[in-house]
Amino acid sequence: MIEVKIESIRVSLMSPNQVVILREVEGERRLPIFIGKSEGDAITFKLNEDIAPRPLTHDLAVDIMAELGVQLKHVVIHELRRQHFFAAIIYNVNNVEMRLDARPSDAMALAVRVNCPIYVEEAVMDEAGVIPSQEHDAQRDLGAFDDFISSLDLGDLNDSDQDETLR
């Protein structure tokens, strides 16, 4: 297994989803995983150390685990099937290691709350991991606008018809 850290969570202007970028701890590869907005917000909320007036769903889950004596050991993104990632939460109860299936977004939201490691199976990283190019690194400051800017077709700006449609 490969240990990863959450490098960033980006907002896609082209869809309601967000994308979490996982970075290898001892490598250059990144693993982008599209997640729902609420899960992305839950992860971002904790990473920014924001405090909610009442527990959010993932906070409540952590509180329940603590009350029951459950210790979260790590989470692992273990499979990629038909463009969907699958994860598991590995935890201890009464000194017995157990495993629970989870969506990667929920597993990561729990992991950031208890500060436990996040792993990716090597086969998953080999299949879906990417090494960012230097050109991409130069554009990195664009953040949330990267998708939008990449989708622009500026070729139509020189057409004479363009003036007519603006009037």
Side-chain angles (χ1 to χ4, degrees):
M1 292 189 297
I2 299 167
E3 186 173 1
V4 296
K5 297 286 183 190
I6 297 173
E7 180 176 85
S8 64
I9 297 180
R10 298 180 182 199
V11 176
S12 173
L13 297 177
M14 307 311 274
S15 77
N17 295 323
Q18 297 181 15
V19 61
V20 60
I21 308 295
L22 300 175
R23 175 189 46 81
E24 283 181 303
V25 170
E26 296 185 15
E28 295 183 31
R29 290 183 293 182
R30 308 299 196 271
L31 182 66
I33 300 177
F34 282 89
I35 60 175
K37 182 182 179 341
S38 61
E39 293 83 2
D41 290 346
I43 295 168
T44 301
F45 195 81
K46 184 61 181 177
L47 291 175
N48 290 337
E49 298 179 7
D50 292 332
I51 299 172
R54 297 174 54 200
L56 300 176
T57 304
H58 296 97
D59 299 319
L60 180 60
V62 167
D63 291 345
I64 291 170
M65 288 188 299
E67 285 293 320
L68 297 174
V70 175
Q71 179 190 11
L72 195 83
K73 291 188 66 176
H74 64 270
V75 300
V76 60
I77 299 164
H78 61 84
E79 187 175 354
L80 175 59
R81 187 177 353 132
R82 287 180 266 151
Q83 298 182 338
H84 287 87
F85 292 92
F86 293 83
I89 298 166
I90 311 303
Y91 61 98
N92 267 334
V93 172
N94 298 324
N95 294 322
V96 176
E97 187 171 287
M98 302 184 84
R99 179 184 178 111
L100 185 65
D101 288 330
R103 296 182 305 177
S105 56
D106 291 325
M108 289 183 281
L110 292 173
V112 298
R113 281 164 170 73
V114 299
N115 200 26
C116 75
I118 301 170
Y119 295 103
V120 174
E121 287 288 347
E122 288 186 39
V124 173
M125 186 62 86
D126 288 345
E127 184 176 347
V130 295
I131 296 176
S133 67
Q134 290 179 343
E135 176 183 325
H136 179 73
D137 285 344
Q139 294 178 351
R140 193 171 179 182
D141 292 336
L142 297 175
F145 298 103
D146 196 25
D147 288 345
F148 175 70
I149 290 170
S150 297
S151 71
L152 291 177
D153 181 9
L154 302 177
D156 293 339
L157 293 178
N158 294 329
D159 291 348
S160 59
D161 295 320
Q162 189 74 17
D163 290 340
E164 294 299 319
T165 59
L166 295 176
R167 292 183 189 170

mmCIF file with all atom_site columns, all heavy atoms in Angstrom, residues 121-137:
data_model
loop_
_atom_site.group_PDB
_atom_site.id
_atom_site.type_symbol
_atom_site.label_atom_id
_atom_site.label_alt_id
_atom_site.label_comp_id
_atom_site.label_asym_id
_atom_site.label_entity_id
_atom_site.label_seq_id
_atom_site.pdbx_PDB_ins_code
_atom_site.Cartn_x
_atom_site.Cartn_y
_atom_site.Cartn_z
_atom_site.occupancy
_atom_site.B_iso_or_equiv
_atom_site.pdbx_formal_charge
_atom_site.auth_seq_id
_atom_site.auth_comp_id
_atom_site.auth_asym_id
_atom_site.auth_atom_id
_atom_site.pdbx_PDB_model_num
ATOM 1   N N   . GLU A 1 121 ? -4.007 1.261  -2.624  1.00 0.00 ? 121 GLU A N   1
ATOM 2   C CA  . GLU A 1 121 ? -3.385 0.024  -3.120  1.00 0.00 ? 121 GLU A CA  1
ATOM 3   C C   . GLU A 1 121 ? -2.536 0.354  -4.352  1.00 0.00 ? 121 GLU A C   1
ATOM 4   O O   . GLU A 1 121 ? -2.916 1.198  -5.167  1.00 0.00 ? 121 GLU A O   1
ATOM 5   C CB  . GLU A 1 121 ? -4.448 -1.014 -3.487  1.00 0.00 ? 121 GLU A CB  1
ATOM 6   C CG  . GLU A 1 121 ? -5.140 -1.653 -2.316  1.00 0.00 ? 121 GLU A CG  1
ATOM 7   C CD  . GLU A 1 121 ? -4.262 -2.631 -1.546  1.00 0.00 ? 121 GLU A CD  1
ATOM 8   O OE1 . GLU A 1 121 ? -3.181 -3.016 -2.047  1.00 0.00 ? 121 GLU A OE1 1
ATOM 9   O OE2 . GLU A 1 121 ? -4.674 -3.004 -0.435  1.00 0.00 ? 121 GLU A OE2 1
ATOM 10  N N   . GLU A 1 122 ? -1.417 -0.327 -4.479  1.00 0.00 ? 122 GLU A N   1
ATOM 11  C CA  . GLU A 1 122 ? -0.495 -0.060 -5.585  1.00 0.00 ? 122 GLU A CA  1
ATOM 12  C C   . GLU A 1 122 ? -1.161 -0.213 -6.946  1.00 0.00 ? 122 GLU A C   1
ATOM 13  O O   . GLU A 1 122 ? -0.928 0.593  -7.849  1.00 0.00 ? 122 GLU A O   1
ATOM 14  C CB  . GLU A 1 122 ? 0.729  -0.963 -5.480  1.00 0.00 ? 122 GLU A CB  1
ATOM 15  C CG  . GLU A 1 122 ? 1.635  -0.559 -4.335  1.00 0.00 ? 122 GLU A CG  1
ATOM 16  C CD  . GLU A 1 122 ? 2.933  -1.346 -4.309  1.00 0.00 ? 122 GLU A CD  1
ATOM 17  O OE1 . GLU A 1 122 ? 3.495  -1.616 -5.390  1.00 0.00 ? 122 GLU A OE1 1
ATOM 18  O OE2 . GLU A 1 122 ? 3.377  -1.666 -3.187  1.00 0.00 ? 122 GLU A OE2 1
ATOM 19  N N   . ALA A 1 123 ? -2.004 -1.237 -7.106  1.00 0.00 ? 123 ALA A N   1
ATOM 20  C CA  . ALA A 1 123 ? -2.669 -1.459 -8.391  1.00 0.00 ? 123 ALA A CA  1
ATOM 21  C C   . ALA A 1 123 ? -3.574 -0.286 -8.760  1.00 0.00 ? 123 ALA A C   1
ATOM 22  O O   . ALA A 1 123 ? -3.663 0.090  -9.936  1.00 0.00 ? 123 ALA A O   1
ATOM 23  C CB  . ALA A 1 123 ? -3.472 -2.763 -8.347  1.00 0.00 ? 123 ALA A CB  1
ATOM 24  N N   . VAL A 1 124 ? -4.228 0.306  -7.782  1.00 0.00 ? 124 VAL A N   1
ATOM 25  C CA  . VAL A 1 124 ? -5.100 1.455  -8.031  1.00 0.00 ? 124 VAL A CA  1
ATOM 26  C C   . VAL A 1 124 ? -4.261 2.659  -8.436  1.00 0.00 ? 124 VAL A C   1
ATOM 27  O O   . VAL A 1 124 ? -4.583 3.357  -9.395  1.00 0.00 ? 124 VAL A O   1
ATOM 28  C CB  . VAL A 1 124 ? -5.962 1.772  -6.785  1.00 0.00 ? 124 VAL A CB  1
ATOM 29  C CG1 . VAL A 1 124 ? -6.744 3.072  -6.974  1.00 0.00 ? 124 VAL A CG1 1
ATOM 30  C CG2 . VAL A 1 124 ? -6.911 0.618  -6.493  1.00 0.00 ? 124 VAL A CG2 1
ATOM 31  N N   . MET A 1 125 ? -3.173 2.899  -7.723  1.00 0.00 ? 125 MET A N   1
ATOM 32  C CA  . MET A 1 125 ? -2.304 4.030  -8.064  1.00 0.00 ? 125 MET A CA  1
ATOM 33  C C   . MET A 1 125 ? -1.668 3.823  -9.435  1.00 0.00 ? 125 MET A C   1
ATOM 34  O O   . MET A 1 125 ? -1.549 4.769  -10.214 1.00 0.00 ? 125 MET A O   1
ATOM 35  C CB  . MET A 1 125 ? -1.220 4.228  -6.996  1.00 0.00 ? 125 MET A CB  1
ATOM 36  C CG  . MET A 1 125 ? -0.375 5.470  -7.193  1.00 0.00 ? 125 MET A CG  1
ATOM 37  S SD  . MET A 1 125 ? -1.280 7.028  -7.111  1.00 0.00 ? 125 MET A SD  1
ATOM 38  C CE  . MET A 1 125 ? -1.271 7.320  -5.352  1.00 0.00 ? 125 MET A CE  1
ATOM 39  N N   . ASP A 1 126 ? -1.282 2.575  -9.746  1.00 0.00 ? 126 ASP A N   1
ATOM 40  C CA  . ASP A 1 126 ? -0.697 2.292  -11.059 1.00 0.00 ? 126 ASP A CA  1
ATOM 41  C C   . ASP A 1 126 ? -1.703 2.575  -12.171 1.00 0.00 ? 126 ASP A C   1
ATOM 42  O O   . ASP A 1 126 ? -1.340 3.067  -13.235 1.00 0.00 ? 126 ASP A O   1
ATOM 43  C CB  . ASP A 1 126 ? -0.234 0.833  -11.145 1.00 0.00 ? 126 ASP A CB  1
ATOM 44  C CG  . ASP A 1 126 ? 1.004  0.562  -10.308 1.00 0.00 ? 126 ASP A CG  1
ATOM 45  O OD1 . ASP A 1 126 ? 1.682  1.530  -9.895  1.00 0.00 ? 126 ASP A OD1 1
ATOM 46  O OD2 . ASP A 1 126 ? 1.289  -0.630 -10.045 1.00 0.00 ? 126 ASP A OD2 1
ATOM 47  N N   . GLU A 1 127 ? -2.971 2.269  -11.932 1.00 0.00 ? 127 GLU A N   1
ATOM 48  C CA  . GLU A 1 127 ? -4.000 2.447  -12.956 1.00 0.00 ? 127 GLU A CA  1
ATOM 49  C C   . GLU A 1 127 ? -4.463 3.893  -13.096 1.00 0.00 ? 127 GLU A C   1
ATOM 50  O O   . GLU A 1 127 ? -4.648 4.384  -14.207 1.00 0.00 ? 127 GLU A O   1
ATOM 51  C CB  . GLU A 1 127 ? -5.211 1.564  -12.651 1.00 0.00 ? 127 GLU A CB  1
ATOM 52  C CG  . GLU A 1 127 ? -6.289 1.613  -13.713 1.00 0.00 ? 127 GLU A CG  1
ATOM 53  C CD  . GLU A 1 127 ? -7.433 0.662  -13.458 1.00 0.00 ? 127 GLU A CD  1
ATOM 54  O OE1 . GLU A 1 127 ? -7.315 -0.235 -12.599 1.00 0.00 ? 127 GLU A OE1 1
ATOM 55  O OE2 . GLU A 1 127 ? -8.466 0.812  -14.131 1.00 0.00 ? 127 GLU A OE2 1
ATOM 56  N N   . ALA A 1 128 ? -4.638 4.596  -11.982 1.00 0.00 ? 128 ALA A N   1
ATOM 57  C CA  . ALA A 1 128 ? -5.276 5.918  -12.040 1.00 0.00 ? 128 ALA A CA  1
ATOM 58  C C   . ALA A 1 128 ? -4.379 7.069  -11.606 1.00 0.00 ? 128 ALA A C   1
ATOM 59  O O   . ALA A 1 128 ? -4.761 8.228  -11.775 1.00 0.00 ? 128 ALA A O   1
ATOM 60  C CB  . ALA A 1 128 ? -6.539 5.911  -11.191 1.00 0.00 ? 128 ALA A CB  1
ATOM 61  N N   . GLY A 1 129 ? -3.205 6.786  -11.071 1.00 0.00 ? 129 GLY A N   1
ATOM 62  C CA  . GLY A 1 129 ? -2.313 7.850  -10.630 1.00 0.00 ? 129 GLY A CA  1
ATOM 63  C C   . GLY A 1 129 ? -1.697 8.576  -11.803 1.00 0.00 ? 129 GLY A C   1
ATOM 64  O O   . GLY A 1 129 ? -1.509 8.002  -12.875 1.00 0.00 ? 129 GLY A O   1
ATOM 65  N N   . VAL A 1 130 ? -1.412 9.838  -11.604 1.00 0.00 ? 130 VAL A N   1
ATOM 66  C CA  . VAL A 1 130 ? -0.782 10.651 -12.652 1.00 0.00 ? 130 VAL A CA  1
ATOM 67  C C   . VAL A 1 130 ? 0.397  11.401 -12.057 1.00 0.00 ? 130 VAL A C   1
ATOM 68  O O   . VAL A 1 130 ? 0.414  11.736 -10.879 1.00 0.00 ? 130 VAL A O   1
ATOM 69  C CB  . VAL A 1 130 ? -1.777 11.656 -13.282 1.00 0.00 ? 130 VAL A CB  1
ATOM 70  C CG1 . VAL A 1 130 ? -2.880 10.947 -14.020 1.00 0.00 ? 130 VAL A CG1 1
ATOM 71  C CG2 . VAL A 1 130 ? -2.354 12.586 -12.229 1.00 0.00 ? 130 VAL A CG2 1
ATOM 72  N N   . ILE A 1 131 ? 1.386  11.657 -12.904 1.00 0.00 ? 131 ILE A N   1
ATOM 73  C CA  . ILE A 1 131 ? 2.516  12.494 -12.515 1.00 0.00 ? 131 ILE A CA  1
ATOM 74  C C   . ILE A 1 131 ? 2.269  13.857 -13.152 1.00 0.00 ? 131 ILE A C   1
ATOM 75  O O   . ILE A 1 131 ? 2.164  13.951 -14.379 1.00 0.00 ? 131 ILE A O   1
ATOM 76  C CB  . ILE A 1 131 ? 3.861  11.902 -12.982 1.00 0.00 ? 131 ILE A CB  1
ATOM 77  C CG1 . ILE A 1 131 ? 4.096  10.564 -12.291 1.00 0.00 ? 131 ILE A CG1 1
ATOM 78  C CG2 . ILE A 1 131 ? 4.990  12.876 -12.694 1.00 0.00 ? 131 ILE A CG2 1
ATOM 79  C CD1 . ILE A 1 131 ? 5.342  9.833  -12.751 1.00 0.00 ? 131 ILE A CD1 1
ATOM 80  N N   . PRO A 1 132 ? 2.147  14.899 -12.346 1.00 0.00 ? 132 PRO A N   1
ATOM 81  C CA  . PRO A 1 132 ? 1.865  16.214 -12.923 1.00 0.00 ? 132 PRO A CA  1
ATOM 82  C C   . PRO A 1 132 ? 3.018  16.685 -13.793 1.00 0.00 ? 132 PRO A C   1
ATOM 83  O O   . PRO A 1 132 ? 4.178  16.492 -13.447 1.00 0.00 ? 132 PRO A O   1
ATOM 84  C CB  . PRO A 1 132 ? 1.666  17.128 -11.722 1.00 0.00 ? 132 PRO A CB  1
ATOM 85  C CG  . PRO A 1 132 ? 2.105  16.370 -10.532 1.00 0.00 ? 132 PRO A CG  1
ATOM 86  C CD  . PRO A 1 132 ? 2.271  14.934 -10.907 1.00 0.00 ? 132 PRO A CD  1
ATOM 87  N N   . SER A 1 133 ? 2.673  17.309 -14.903 1.00 0.00 ? 133 SER A N   1
ATOM 88  C CA  . SER A 1 133 ? 3.707  17.855 -15.785 1.00 0.00 ? 133 SER A CA  1
ATOM 89  C C   . SER A 1 133 ? 4.139  19.212 -15.261 1.00 0.00 ? 133 SER A C   1
ATOM 90  O O   . SER A 1 133 ? 3.442  19.852 -14.479 1.00 0.00 ? 133 SER A O   1
ATOM 91  C CB  . SER A 1 133 ? 3.152  17.996 -17.208 1.00 0.00 ? 133 SER A CB  1
ATOM 92  O OG  . SER A 1 133 ? 2.149  18.988 -17.234 1.00 0.00 ? 133 SER A OG  1
ATOM 93  N N   . GLN A 1 134 ? 5.297  19.677 -15.714 1.00 0.00 ? 134 GLN A N   1
ATOM 94  C CA  . GLN A 1 134 ? 5.782  20.998 -15.308 1.00 0.00 ? 134 GLN A CA  1
ATOM 95  C C   . GLN A 1 134 ? 4.830  22.081 -15.783 1.00 0.00 ? 134 GLN A C   1
ATOM 96  O O   . GLN A 1 134 ? 4.624  23.077 -15.111 1.00 0.00 ? 134 GLN A O   1
ATOM 97  C CB  . GLN A 1 134 ? 7.187  21.232 -15.838 1.00 0.00 ? 134 GLN A CB  1
ATOM 98  C CG  . GLN A 1 134 ? 8.218  20.385 -15.146 1.00 0.00 ? 134 GLN A CG  1
ATOM 99  C CD  . GLN A 1 134 ? 9.611  20.622 -15.700 1.00 0.00 ? 134 GLN A CD  1
ATOM 100 O OE1 . GLN A 1 134 ? 9.788  21.164 -16.779 1.00 0.00 ? 134 GLN A OE1 1
ATOM 101 N NE2 . GLN A 1 134 ? 10.597 20.202 -14.942 1.00 0.00 ? 134 GLN A NE2 1
ATOM 102 N N   . GLU A 1 135 ? 4.218  21.878 -16.951 1.00 0.00 ? 135 GLU A N   1
ATOM 103 C CA  . GLU A 1 135 ? 3.257  22.854 -17.468 1.00 0.00 ? 135 GLU A CA  1
ATOM 104 C C   . GLU A 1 135 ? 2.068  22.955 -16.524 1.00 0.00 ? 135 GLU A C   1
ATOM 105 O O   . GLU A 1 135 ? 1.591  24.038 -16.215 1.00 0.00 ? 135 GLU A O   1
ATOM 106 C CB  . GLU A 1 135 ? 2.788  22.447 -18.865 1.00 0.00 ? 135 GLU A CB  1
ATOM 107 C CG  . GLU A 1 135 ? 1.719  23.361 -19.432 1.00 0.00 ? 135 GLU A CG  1
ATOM 108 C CD  . GLU A 1 135 ? 1.223  22.875 -20.779 1.00 0.00 ? 135 GLU A CD  1
ATOM 109 O OE1 . GLU A 1 135 ? 2.035  22.321 -21.543 1.00 0.00 ? 135 GLU A OE1 1
ATOM 110 O OE2 . GLU A 1 135 ? 0.034  23.052 -21.064 1.00 0.00 ? 135 GLU A OE2 1
ATOM 111 N N   . HIS A 1 136 ? 1.593  21.796 -16.041 1.00 0.00 ? 136 HIS A N   1
ATOM 112 C CA  . HIS A 1 136 ? 0.469  21.794 -15.102 1.00 0.00 ? 136 HIS A CA  1
ATOM 113 C C   . HIS A 1 136 ? 0.846  22.495 -13.805 1.00 0.00 ? 136 HIS A C   1
ATOM 114 O O   . HIS A 1 136 ? 0.058  23.249 -13.253 1.00 0.00 ? 136 HIS A O   1
ATOM 115 C CB  . HIS A 1 136 ? 0.013  20.359 -14.815 1.00 0.00 ? 136 HIS A CB  1
ATOM 116 C CG  . HIS A 1 136 ? -1.109 20.271 -13.840 1.00 0.00 ? 136 HIS A CG  1
ATOM 117 N ND1 . HIS A 1 136 ? -2.389 20.637 -14.157 1.00 0.00 ? 136 HIS A ND1 1
ATOM 118 C CD2 . HIS A 1 136 ? -1.125 19.902 -12.536 1.00 0.00 ? 136 HIS A CD2 1
ATOM 119 C CE1 . HIS A 1 136 ? -3.168 20.485 -13.099 1.00 0.00 ? 136 HIS A CE1 1
ATOM 120 N NE2 . HIS A 1 136 ? -2.422 20.032 -12.103 1.00 0.00 ? 136 HIS A NE2 1
ATOM 121 N N   . ASP A 1 137 ? 2.069  22.277 -13.327 1.00 0.00 ? 137 ASP A N   1
ATOM 122 C CA  . ASP A 1 137 ? 2.517  22.935 -12.104 1.00 0.00 ? 137 ASP A CA  1
ATOM 123 C C   . ASP A 1 137 ? 2.537  24.453 -12.274 1.00 0.00 ? 137 ASP A C   1
ATOM 124 O O   . ASP A 1 137 ? 2.232  25.185 -11.341 1.00 0.00 ? 137 ASP A O   1
ATOM 125 C CB  . ASP A 1 137 ? 3.907  22.446 -11.694 1.00 0.00 ? 137 ASP A CB  1
ATOM 126 C CG  . ASP A 1 137 ? 3.865  21.044 -11.096 1.00 0.00 ? 137 ASP A CG  1
ATOM 127 O OD1 . ASP A 1 137 ? 2.767  20.583 -10.730 1.00 0.00 ? 137 ASP A OD1 1
ATOM 128 O OD2 . ASP A 1 137 ? 4.938  20.418 -11.001 1.00 0.00 ? 137 ASP A OD2 1
#
